[in-house]
Amino acid sequence: MIYATDSFDKLPHLPAWVTAGRPETPEYVAFLSGAALNHLHLVLSQHAVPQTLLRARLALRAAEACVTHQGRPKRASELRDAVAFLQPGDSSGPAGEIYLSWRRAVERPASVKALRRALPEIDADQIATWLDAGQGPPVARTAFVLQAVLADRPREPATALILADAALAQSLGWNHVLPLLALGLRRADLRKSDEELRLACHRAILAAAVEAVREGADLARRAARLKEVGPKLRAKGAEEAVAQFLIRDAVAPTSLTSLRSDRAARRFCERLVDLGAVRELTGRDTFRLYGI
């Protein structure tokens, strides 16, 4: 049942020593990034964390970072708008396409086929070749894949970062891509190579894993609240509608097709806001989006 409440207050806490101070040596940076990844792995194993939603939320942040790397910064709200109301045949624009690539990359279990869906302009054999380029421990392999893709496509940092995060997920035995590198790497880091790039990846993963742990804990708390109010919702199709908020970063009322009408969907979303279970994300009076 979707309304069963998991205990979010028992999530393992990130040890303070992981984030205390600034590591100075490459060995210590590597140690801390490994510790942060290990803790993130524990958090991802908790049922209280809505993992699909966590990946979707991090995909939005990764897209925001990638668009900034390309010199045309867009806020998360603008990226949401670029894709939320697309109709068949509409163009989302360059920034929207980057966001769609990240969304598709995290939606399905990581595979060459799934990554080809996220990056339709790239041949599947080329994707497989890049993913096989890296060797060694997870972060070293990730940096190698990142460098290989950037060498071939220097103007496509989003492509390189998606495939590098895919390599990291495969190395760690994760079923899905979890956006991390884009959250922590700076634009200047993408011009580095070899040992300097590996060190930058360790630093980025350390910062991003800490952020992902915090985001996971926050979403677990918000998801618990949504599940708590679920039994109070009497509308026909309410359970299916609530489920959408647990897997999607932003929900337009018109997409809640299990409810009777668009008007009923809008009232349903407003009811969830009144109950403190979801937030209105746009600040607009029309074309609103909601999320936990």
Side-chain angles (χ1 to χ4, degrees):
M1 284 289 292
I2 189 174
Y3 297 145
T5 302
D6 297 310
S7 177
F8 67 90
D9 56 349
K10 295 183 180 179
L11 291 177
H13 295 290
L14 188 70
W17 54 263
V18 174
T19 56
R22 180 177 176 82
E24 298 298 336
T25 66
E27 294 78 12
Y28 193 35
V29 174
F31 170 73
L32 290 181
S33 72
L37 279 174
N38 181 69
H39 188 81
L40 177 58
H41 185 82
L42 291 176
V43 169
L44 293 177
S45 69
Q46 304 299 307
H47 292 299
V49 178
Q51 295 189 34
T52 301
L53 178 56
L54 175 61
R55 292 195 302 272
R57 189 63 53 83
L58 295 181
L60 175 63
R61 294 185 186 178
E64 188 177 25
C66 287
V67 171
T68 299
H69 290 331
Q70 293 191 347
R72 45 172 182 261
K74 295 278 187 180
R75 293 181 308 216
S77 58
E78 294 175 293
L79 292 174
R80 284 189 178 115
D81 283 348
V83 304
F85 304 105
L86 284 176
Q87 299 297 319
D90 287 351
S91 171
S92 62
E97 284 301 318
I98 289 175
Y99 180 28
L100 286 172
S101 290
W102 273 107
R103 285 201 345 185
R104 292 167 183 154
V106 304
E107 284 174 349
R108 300 183 180 184
S111 67
V112 171
K113 182 178 180 180
L115 292 168
R116 175 74 170 77
R117 176 175 174 268
L119 303 166
E121 300 301 318
I122 302 177
D123 184 77
D125 289 340
Q126 179 62 75
I127 291 174
T129 298
W130 278 328
L131 291 177
D132 289 341
Q135 301 293 331
V139 178
R141 180 190 174 196
T142 298
F144 201 101
V145 170
L146 179 62
Q147 183 171 332
V149 180
L150 286 173
D152 290 342
R153 294 183 178 239
R155 296 185 179 180
E156 298 180 23
T159 297
L161 289 163
I162 288 172
L163 293 175
D165 272 327
L168 180 64
Q170 290 179 345
S171 295
L172 295 172
W174 292 348
N175 290 329
H176 290 79
V177 174
L178 186 70
L180 291 177
L181 281 178
L183 305 184
L185 284 174
R186 299 169 299 176
R187 187 176 183 178
D189 291 330
L190 299 178
R191 296 192 289 269
K192 296 177 180 177
S193 61
D194 302 326
E195 186 60 36
E196 284 190 345
L197 182 59
R198 284 193 292 275
L199 181 58
C201 286
H202 275 297
R203 291 190 184 279
I205 287 170
L206 170 59
V210 170
E211 181 178 345
V213 166
R214 290 171 179 162
E215 183 69 22
D218 182 59
L219 290 179
R221 176 179 60 81
R222 294 179 182 276
R225 174 57 184 166
L226 181 59
K227 294 174 184 179
E228 180 184 339
V229 305
K232 301 177 182 178
L233 305 170
R234 303 301 181 185
K236 183 178 180 180
E239 185 169 343
E240 294 87 343
V242 167
Q244 294 301 304
F245 290 95
L246 294 173
I247 61 174
R248 295 167 59 185
D249 166 68
V251 176
T254 53
S255 69
L256 299 177
T257 55
S258 66
L259 301 174
R260 298 189 308 275
S261 65
D262 288 351
R263 182 181 179 184
R266 289 194 296 271
R267 293 178 63 184
F268 181 83
C269 291
E270 290 166 3
R271 172 68 170 152
L272 288 176
V273 172
D274 291 340
L275 291 169
V278 306
R279 300 169 292 162
E280 202 286 311
L281 301 174
T282 69
R284 297 189 295 251
D285 293 329
T286 58
F287 295 100
R288 289 182 158 188
L289 295 171
Y290 298 84
I292 70 171

